[in-house]
Amino acid sequence: SASSPKKPFVPTQADYQKVYDAVAARLADDTDYDDGSYGPVLVRLAWHASGTYDKETGTGGSNGATMRFAPESDHGANAGLKTARDFLEPIKAQFPWITYSDLWTLAGACAIQELGGPTIPWRPGREDRDVAACTPDGRLPDAAKDQRHIRDIFSRMGFDDREMVALIGAHALGRCHTDRSGFDGPWNFSPTVFTNEFFRLLAEENWIQKKWNGPKQFTDKSTGTLMMLPTDMALMKDKGFKKHVERYAKDSDVFFKEFSDVFVKLLELGVPFKTEDRFVFKTSE
Ligand code: HEM
């Protein structure tokens, strides 16, 4: 009848696939950035939105998308991520029904798939929250530190050794920027393709300390063009971590499977989902 309220729009898997396709199309069209893709920085946005989770208090995590606001947007670890948030604004304008927190995580899953990585099953249900839900600074890892710090930070999120190593394998993608983190350079020669190269190089190359004025980082002895962070090197120094580095270096399929599982888990930390079912998005041709 005339007086009945307008039915709320309830998006289906097909609607979320349209969002995926729009992100994928923008990734394919907008190649005038870094090594030719915004994909890596989208992965980093999804990770930093999610990696604030604290299992004891249930605070942080992707639910809320509080990185839209200062102080969280100004946290040192989030330097450069405005690029990723701005990249997604036209998508948000095109699909105003999606929350930022669903959009940022969906875009991270899309970027992994579009850059040749494993499928990342994804489900909706995150709600945006206001500035009061911003997390305190210091919840994300500091690349200058060691294995103890990695365990402190990632066990706070609820991950074990194997999961920590798998997650850090995302450093196959993208690069460090001196005007963001202070570090410089890519981890491998194809930083826009998701592979197990990070682990192969970490295990097989000879890494030496880079001679420069910047923060302590490592470079490969043979070409001097690739990089590793102190935290990356810590994965080889620690027995509990090293065995997984070697497993992933040897077997790309095992890495893809275990990375997918743990990235799904990361994107869902602390989210009060109403649905068990995850969508598997079709990757673009
Ligand atoms: C980039 C640190 C774990 C994904 C970076 C950068 C640093 C960093 C310093 C360079 C930022 C810049 O200058 O632009 C760390 C540390 C980690 C960690 C210390 C844990 C010990 C992860 C995880 C993921 C991830 C778990 C995803 C699952 C990325 C990606 C980039 C990146 C894709 C490239 C971004 C771009 O190209 O703009 N990380 N990270 N990192 N990180 Fe991590």
Side-chain angles (χ1 to χ4, degrees), residues 14 78 199 241 273 275:
N78 292 331
F199 295 114
F241 286 150
F273 290 106
T275 163

Side-chain angles (χ1 to χ4, degrees), residues 75-98:
H75 290 169
N78 292 331
L81 292 180
K82 186 176 190 299
T83 309
R85 296 192 300 272
D86 288 350
F87 178 88
L88 294 173
E89 277 303 326
I91 314 281
K92 172 70 178 163
Q94 194 184 344
F95 304 96
W97 48 265
I98 196 169

Side-chain angles (χ1 to χ4, degrees), residues 40 44 47 141 143 167 170-171 173-177 180-181 187 231:
R44 190 161 203 245
W47 139 236
L167 275 175
H171 283 170
L173 297 177
R175 59 170 55 245
C176 296
H177 307 77
R180 296 180 182 178
S181 60
W187 286 268
T231 44

Side-chain angles (χ1 to χ4, degrees), residues 33-35 39-44 47-48 77 79-81 112 141-144 149-150 154 164 166-171 173-184 187 229 231-232 259 263 266:
Y33 174 73
D34 266 9
D35 305 286
V41 80
L42 291 184
V43 172
R44 190 161 203 245
W47 139 236
H48 280 207
L81 292 180
I112 295 285
D142 175 348
H149 175 73
I150 298 176
F154 284 87
M164 297 178 201
L167 275 175
I168 295 169
H171 283 170
L173 297 177
R175 59 170 55 245
C176 296
H177 307 77
T178 50
D179 59 341
R180 296 180 182 178
S181 60
F183 299 99
D184 187 36
W187 286 268
L229 299 165
T231 44
D232 299 322
F259 179 83
F263 196 64
L266 173 71

Side-chain angles (χ1 to χ4, degrees), residues 101-118:
S101 38
D102 273 344
L103 177 59
W104 291 356
T105 52
L106 190 161
C110 173
I112 295 285
Q113 291 189 196
E114 294 297 310
L115 298 178

